[in-house]
Amino acid sequence: MKIRYNPVLGVTMIVLGVVCEVLGLWLLALGETDPTLFVGVIVVLLGLPYLLRPYFLVHHTTVEVLTLLGPARRRYEYERLELVDNKLFAISGDHRVRVPVVKAMARSSDWGRLAQLAGDQSRP
C-alpha cells in the first residue's frame, strides 16, 4: 500500500515559490536584483516531490519510509501494525518500534486505509 503526502504541503510550497518568483521578477523589472528569484525556483522544486513521491510504503512484512529527495529508505519489519493516538507502531514478537510518520503529512484517504489495515491486523 502506498501512503502519499498530503497534497496541501506540495501545493503550498509551489504557490509560495511562484509568489517569490513574481516578486523577484517585479523587482528585476524595477532594476534591482534580488535573491528571491533563486529562492522561488528552489521552493517550487522542493514542492514537486510532495506531489509526486510517496510518503511511505506498507508491504506484507515491512514498512518503508522514503526520503523526500534521494533513494534512501528506512525499513521497519513487523508481524502486525498498530495505530495508537495516530502513531504507527511496527510490532514483531515482543519488539515494538514506532515508525516515524505523522498523520498530518499523509493524505487522509491513504491514512484511513492504513488505519483500517492496522485495525484488521490487530484483531485475533
Side-chain angles (χ1 to χ4, degrees):
M1 171 187 329
K2 185 188 300 186
I3 308 297
R4 298 165 291 179
Y5 282 101
N6 189 339
V8 172
L9 299 169
V11 170
T12 301
M13 288 187 74
I14 291 171
V15 167
L16 290 175
V18 169
V19 167
C20 282
E21 280 299 303
V22 169
L23 292 175
L25 289 172
W26 181 43
L27 287 173
L28 190 64
L30 293 175
E32 295 186 28
T33 56
D34 194 68
T36 56
L37 280 172
F38 303 110
V39 171
V41 170
I42 291 170
V43 172
V44 167
L45 291 177
L46 287 176
L48 287 175
Y50 282 105
L51 298 175
L52 302 175
R53 288 184 58 106
Y55 184 19
F56 61 98
L57 304 169
V58 179
H59 302 290
H60 293 292
T61 59
T62 59
V63 175
E64 288 184 331
V65 181
L66 309 167
T67 57
L68 187 61
L69 301 171
R73 299 168 182 243
R74 283 188 188 167
R75 287 185 178 86
Y76 300 89
E77 293 186 14
Y78 69 90
E79 292 172 4
R80 66 185 178 97
L81 293 174
E82 187 177 280
L83 271 175
V84 178
D85 296 329
N86 289 320
K87 296 176 183 151
L88 182 64
F89 292 92
I91 301 170
S92 289
D94 293 337
H95 192 65
R96 184 176 192 224
V97 177
R98 184 170 186 272
V99 181
V101 295
V102 180
K103 179 184 178 184
M105 290 187 64
R107 192 173 293 215
S108 59
S109 60
D110 293 348
W111 192 267
R113 288 186 304 139
L114 175 67
Q116 191 175 31
L117 175 70
D120 290 345
Q121 289 187 353
S122 64
R123 292 186 193 126

